[in-house]
Amino acid sequence: METDGFVRKRRMTAESSDGDPGVAGASAGAEVRWLGGRFWRVSESIVGSLTPRIGAETETQTVGTIRGAAEQTVEHEPDYEGLPQGASARTHMLAGAVAGIMEHCLMFPVDCVKTRMQSLQPEPAARYRNVMDALRRIIATEGVWRPMRGLNATAIGAGPAHALYFACYEKLKRTLSDVVHPGANSHLANGAAGCVATLLHDAIMNPAEVVKQRMQMYNSPYRGVLDCVGAVWQKEGAAAFYRSYTTQLTMNVPFQAFHFMTYEYLQEQLNPHRQYNPSSHMLSGALAGAIAAAVTTPLDVCKTLLNTQESLALSSMSAGQGPGPSPGQGQGAHRHISGLAHAFRTVYRLGGLKGFFRGVQARIIYQMPSTAISWSVYEFFKYGLTKHQHDKRKTQMHREAEM
């Protein structure tokens, strides 16, 4: 079929030349290029089925002034990592904001379960065997929308937090890599960039985390986000929204160091040419999130305790008792757990060494798809936005050349 098409095209162009040697030569050249292009595309399809490649090719048809001769040229776009030369901080911020909101919204029910399973002194009705058991019982006893309480606070905080997070990471990663290991990827630079980006992320996200986790707890007394914000501000002051900030940083700095270093390392193994490859972004993100989550679970338990100021745990501490206080022991409930050292002592006293790994299963189950979603969505929007900018610049250049 390809050969018949070629012969028919050759006959038509020869007939349309009316014996003009110049036109015939131009037609022959166009046909050679057409046949070469077909062979190249067939070869590429075979190679592409064996090795993942992401780059895109665009074919532009230009109609010549010669009688009826059509010419096709194949223009290769720059590599994925080359595209962001024109990517602005705005592109990274927009892609990061969308990724952060989608990550937190899609995984919010599991995050609710994680918060409850990290409780040191849970109510009898809030003691769960595993993640699925927790979700079933929460929905059955508290309503289908109960696992989503606090979602609006998280969405409001996640947008700007992740926008600054990814923009800062991309900028510092390139800058530090040029200093530490010019012309190549540097794991040290990746880890350092992730740590600095975390400072900005947590500064915005920490108040949202406080509100979210208080609303996620069993028998939460707050009617909504504004009610929670007002009650915390009135009873505990503005400092309550940043009580866990140092703990959050202590947890997230090593978390993000492990996270980014693992992600970039896996990208080197799975996607060495750094092309846009959704499967590699998803797998690398999932494994990086799982490893970092498992390592930093003890700090996350302490952070949850500082954020929620769990009432039964406070009662146990104020009464000088271990686990299992009666409901009436609430005389010291006005006290607050403040600081990482205090949180560590409380967790160890009430739960022992096992207490530091409460909810580890839920945390890993949450982080694996969460980071996979985050990286996949971020890389998708970064690629799409940057490609759009690249195409726009290319169109402008063509217009300027024609003028």
Side-chain angles (χ1 to χ4, degrees):
M1 295 296 292
E2 293 286 342
T3 305
D4 292 339
F6 174 75
V7 172
R8 282 197 298 272
K9 185 178 178 184
R10 181 71 186 92
R11 186 181 297 116
M12 290 172 61
T13 52
E15 292 170 357
S16 66
S17 64
D18 294 331
D20 190 336
V23 175
S27 300
E31 290 154 7
V32 171
R33 285 190 292 274
W34 176 84
L35 184 59
R38 297 296 299 176
F39 177 77
W40 176 253
R41 284 195 293 275
V42 170
S43 302
E44 267 193 331
S45 65
I46 297 172
V47 175
S49 65
L50 300 176
T51 57
R53 70 177 277 284
I54 300 152
E57 293 180 356
T58 58
E59 294 184 355
T60 58
Q61 294 186 343
T62 58
V63 178
T65 56
I66 307 173
R67 297 176 203 166
E71 183 177 323
Q72 288 186 329
T73 60
V74 179
E75 295 182 1
H76 293 273
E77 292 182 353
D79 291 338
Y80 177 50
E81 286 295 316
L83 279 174
Q85 291 243 0
S88 62
R90 181 176 60 184
T91 297
H92 297 308
M93 293 180 76
L94 179 57
V98 175
I101 292 172
M102 288 190 67
E103 167 197 350
H104 285 284
C105 289
L106 292 175
M107 296 306 300
F108 197 83
V110 182
D111 185 56
C112 174
V113 171
K114 176 189 74 73
T115 297
R116 291 198 181 190
M117 292 185 75
Q118 287 179 336
S119 174
L120 295 174
Q121 297 283 284
E123 298 276 359
R127 294 173 184 170
Y128 312 110
R129 294 190 301 272
N130 51 50
V131 175
M132 291 307 299
D133 175 59
L135 279 174
R136 282 196 301 266
R137 289 175 57 186
I138 291 172
I139 292 172
T141 60
E142 303 174 52
V144 68
W145 294 109
R146 184 62 180 84
M148 305 301 290
R149 286 199 75 201
L151 175 62
N152 46 355
T154 299
I156 291 170
H162 280 74
L164 291 176
Y165 174 70
F166 278 108
C168 178
Y169 172 71
E170 292 282 2
K171 176 65 176 176
L172 286 177
K173 180 180 75 170
R174 293 181 180 276
T175 303
L176 295 176
S177 291
D178 290 341
V179 173
V180 177
H181 199 172
N185 183 43
S186 168
H187 296 303
L188 178 62
N190 297 333
C195 292
V196 176
T198 301
L199 298 176
L200 294 175
H201 173 273
D202 289 357
I204 297 174
M205 201 65 190
N206 205 85
E209 282 283 316
V210 172
V211 174
K212 176 201 75 174
Q213 291 196 310
R214 293 200 179 206
M215 295 187 67
Q216 286 175 333
M217 294 298 287
Y218 180 75
N219 275 342
S220 174
Y222 309 107
R223 295 188 302 274
V225 170
L226 294 179
D227 178 50
C228 180
V229 171
V232 172
W233 185 288
Q234 184 177 10
K235 295 177 182 177
E236 303 175 44
F241 294 103
Y242 282 93
R243 186 179 288 127
S244 65
Y245 183 56
T246 54
T247 303
Q248 183 98 334
L249 288 178
T250 305
M251 176 188 70
N252 278 348
V253 165
F255 176 90
Q256 298 302 347
F258 278 109
H259 174 204
F260 281 111
M261 291 171 68
T262 305
Y263 178 81
E264 297 289 353
Y265 172 76
L266 290 172
Q267 281 293 286
E268 284 185 348
Q269 306 304 312
L270 301 175
N271 187 17
H273 299 297
R274 296 306 181 97
Q275 297 170 322
Y276 173 61
N277 190 327
S279 59
S280 76
H281 299 320
M282 186 172 294
L283 181 59
S284 299
L287 292 176
I291 293 170
V295 171
T296 57
T297 295
L299 290 164
D300 193 49
V301 172
C302 294
K303 182 209 76 173
T304 299
L305 178 61
L306 286 166
N307 278 344
T308 60
Q309 297 293 307
E310 191 182 334
S311 58
L312 288 179
L314 290 172
S315 298
S316 296
M317 293 300 294
S318 63
Q321 297 178 354
S326 63
Q329 290 174 325
Q331 294 85 355
H334 63 279
R335 293 179 55 193
H336 301 303
I337 297 171
S338 58
L340 180 58
H342 192 185
F344 260 100
R345 290 196 302 270
T346 304
V347 172
Y348 182 73
R349 181 174 177 181
L350 297 179
L353 291 176
K354 290 176 62 176
F356 289 103
F357 288 92
R358 294 184 69 89
V360 63
Q361 179 196 43
R363 179 164 162 78
I364 292 174
I365 291 174
Y366 169 78
Q367 285 293 346
M368 282 189 71
S370 178
T371 48
I373 291 168
S374 180
W375 277 111
S376 299
V377 173
Y378 173 70
E379 298 283 7
F380 170 77
F381 274 90
K382 187 175 79 169
Y383 176 75
L385 291 170
T386 308
K387 184 176 180 295
H388 175 73
Q389 292 173 358
H390 173 74
D391 292 342
K392 189 176 180 181
R393 284 196 304 271
K394 190 166 62 175
T395 302
Q396 290 176 347
M397 290 174 62
H398 287 170
R399 288 177 179 172
E400 291 174 359
E402 291 174 357
M403 293 178 63

